[in-house]
Structures are given as C-alpha cells and as structure tokens.
Amino acid sequence: MTHALPLLPEIALPSGVARQIAPLWRTAALALAGFVTRFGQPADVRRLNYCEGHFLWRTAAMLRRVQKIVRYILVVYAARLLKTAPPSETRTRVTHTKGVCHRKPVIDGDPSTWRVGFVTPPRVRPLRALEDQRLPDNFARAVRNPLVVIARRMESLRRVLEAPMPFITRLARRMRRDVFKVLARNPKRKPPPGRRDYFRDLCDAREAASWALHPLNSS
C-alpha cells in the first residue's frame, strides 16, 4: 500500500452522494497509509515483538472503525449497482478432488496468502475492556497477539481499497437475496475524547448507507 490514494470504484453515484463518499474514501486510504507508516507493511507487523501500554488494542479498534467506514461505502456502491446494472447470479462450477486440499498454503511473510476477513454485515461482539490489561513484553506465544490482529486488519483493508469491485459485486448479490438493514441511528453518547478518531466519519458513512438502502431513494 503506497501513499497514493486508490481510485474510487467505477460506479457512477448521484452528485450529492459522490461528494459525501469521496472524502470518506480518502479518509480510509489516508488512515491505512498512516498505519503503514507507523507499523510497516502487514507482513512486517507480524514480526514485531514489543508492547507499549495498551495502544496496540486501541490501534486494532481504530482499524476496525475504519473497516466499518469502508463497509458502509461499499453498501452505497452495491445499492447503486443493483439499480443500474445488477450482477448476474451465475457462478463457475468448482470441481473438488477427494483427498486433495485446494487452499493455498499460508505464508507468514506473504500477506496475499493470508485468509483474512472484512467486516460486511453488522455483527454483535462482546465489549472488550481496554483497562487493566497486562500484556507480556514478549507475547510471541500469546493466545491473542494484538500485532497479528493489526496485521490482518491492515491486509484486509488494503485488499478492499486496492480492488473494491469484487467486494461490491459480492455484497450486491447478497443484498438482492437477503434483507439487509443499516441502523440509521447514531449512538447518543460519543466515545471518550481520546477514542473519537474517525467517529464522525463513521456516522456520516452509516447515514449515507442507510439513505442508499431506503426504498424511496431510487435516483
């Protein structure tokens, strides 16, 4: 991931929506560039082995918030794609050979082989307290290594920003088959002052996705 801003998906949005989405897309790209500047490439993050307080879990939380911003942007584009050029449901038949594993081997030093996940539908997750968490100085054998979480989220975000169309097409197919809702109500309480990074952008992206999914907004 370089510092050059990735291009927006090739789907024409209404002018008002485009003016709202473009800054959010730029914010997500600059956020990822900032994480790369701070930690290095995802493959390098996994090899780091240090801990400074609780900032690592806070960084993972910020990456997840940026993922949500991009998710809502993809919802806007997927809703537009359904109204202009709905993707086909045809799929290529996959043949499986008994006893043969078709998955590519996972190589720690090659992020393209990682099996990473990207936040698409909202999922309820238990709250994780950030206070009173003592991480060992050397946590290479830790059950939950925060640097691995950061590396995987950086890699998943990089894949979406560099090639968003496969994700948009897949999301559009899912939206056509299933009921898809976006909560338009923003939380009444803002996060603490030290944890408000990208909060306003997340609210704007959520409102844009909710507007795009409304049945009356067919323009």
Side-chain angles (χ1 to χ4, degrees):
M1 177 74 187
T2 62
H3 290 274
L5 296 180
L7 297 178
L8 289 168
E10 297 179 356
I11 300 176
L13 297 176
S15 58
V17 180
R19 286 194 298 269
Q20 185 179 14
I21 291 300
L24 297 174
W25 186 265
R26 185 163 50 249
T27 296
L30 291 176
L32 179 58
F35 288 121
V36 171
T37 301
R38 185 174 185 182
F39 292 98
Q41 296 297 328
D44 300 328
V45 177
R46 291 174 60 99
R47 290 194 289 265
L48 297 177
N49 199 22
Y50 65 91
C51 177
E52 298 177 7
H54 308 295
F55 87 97
L56 290 178
W57 283 121
R58 183 177 180 275
T59 299
M62 290 302 100
L63 272 167
R64 181 171 177 80
R65 186 168 292 176
V66 176
Q67 281 185 332
K68 289 182 178 181
I69 293 173
V70 177
R71 175 192 72 190
Y72 289 127
I73 295 175
L74 298 184
V75 169
V76 174
Y77 278 107
R80 184 64 178 175
L81 183 63
L82 284 177
K83 297 172 183 176
T84 56
S88 63
E89 288 288 349
T90 57
R91 296 182 179 179
T92 305
R93 179 183 290 269
V94 179
T95 58
H96 298 280
T97 305
K98 186 176 180 180
V100 178
C101 180
H102 294 271
R103 287 186 175 182
K104 295 173 59 177
V106 179
I107 304 174
D108 290 345
D110 185 4
S112 63
T113 64
W114 299 352
R115 291 187 285 271
V116 299
F118 188 79
V119 182
T120 43
R123 289 182 294 174
V124 179
R125 287 174 172 261
L127 295 177
R128 185 185 183 91
L130 296 179
E131 292 80 16
D132 300 330
Q133 286 189 358
R134 294 184 59 83
L135 293 175
D137 294 334
N138 186 328
F139 44 79
R141 297 185 179 181
V143 176
R144 185 117 172 120
N145 188 334
L147 290 172
V148 173
V149 176
I150 292 173
R152 289 184 176 276
R153 290 184 180 176
M154 287 175 59
E155 173 61 18
S156 65
L157 191 59
R158 181 194 65 79
R159 292 183 188 180
V160 176
L161 289 176
E162 290 187 353
M165 281 307 300
F167 294 89
I168 294 174
T169 305
R170 188 158 55 244
L171 183 58
R173 291 196 185 101
R174 182 171 183 177
M175 289 167 58
R176 183 167 57 186
R177 293 192 302 264
D178 304 329
V179 176
F180 197 90
K181 281 191 173 182
V182 172
L183 299 178
R185 184 179 302 174
N186 292 322
K188 295 181 179 179
R189 294 183 180 180
K190 295 182 179 180
R195 300 178 194 164
R196 292 183 184 175
D197 300 349
Y198 312 114
F199 175 74
R200 185 67 256 173
D201 297 311
L202 175 61
C203 294
D204 293 342
R206 184 188 293 116
E207 291 175 357
S210 176
W211 184 91
L213 289 179
H214 196 283
L216 297 179
N217 299 324
S218 58
S219 59

